[in-house]
Amino acid sequence: MTAQEHAEEANSTNEADVTEYRAVTFDRCDHVKGPFFHGTKNAFKVGEEIVPGHLSNYHDGRVAHHVYFSALLEPAVWGAELATALAVNREGVALLE
């Protein structure tokens, strides 16, 4: 197969391969499956809930009204590294259920 044929095959869409996009909201999240990860500078205990309303990891003195999480490990590791850039505690990645 030529490079052109590979490119055409990669760009072609098969209706069986296309899935409908559903926006994720608080009321419409049942279609999203875990596991999920949260990068943090805090040490959580098993079963402890991560909830908004705590001081932000990224802005001194600012309260976070949300929780960042990811279905991929790499963004959570990046978040933990970013959160601990100026912190004394070690970073960690929490597995969310």
Side-chain angles (χ1 to χ4, degrees):
M1 186 177 282
T2 68
Q4 178 65 30
E5 291 170 329
H6 279 291
E8 289 172 2
E9 183 177 321
N11 290 330
S12 68
T13 58
N14 180 346
E15 288 185 29
D17 294 336
V18 177
T19 58
E20 181 182 344
Y21 173 77
R22 286 183 62 194
V24 178
T25 66
F26 183 76
D27 296 325
R28 290 179 32 148
C29 60
D30 60 321
H31 64 287
V32 180
K33 305 295 181 213
F36 301 107
F37 304 95
H38 172 72
T40 183
K41 64 183 179 184
N42 300 315
F44 291 101
K45 296 177 181 142
V46 174
E48 190 173 355
E49 290 187 8
I50 300 173
V51 296
H54 295 282
L55 291 177
S56 171
N57 287 329
Y58 309 107
H59 302 283
D60 287 337
R62 183 180 291 179
V63 174
H65 297 287
H66 55 277
V67 174
Y68 288 109
F69 65 95
S70 172
L72 301 174
L73 181 59
E74 291 81 8
V77 170
W78 176 80
E81 292 169 346
L82 183 61
T84 59
L86 300 174
V88 176
N89 300 332
R90 317 181 10 210
E91 74 270 7
V93 174
L95 176 62
L96 307 179
E97 295 180 359

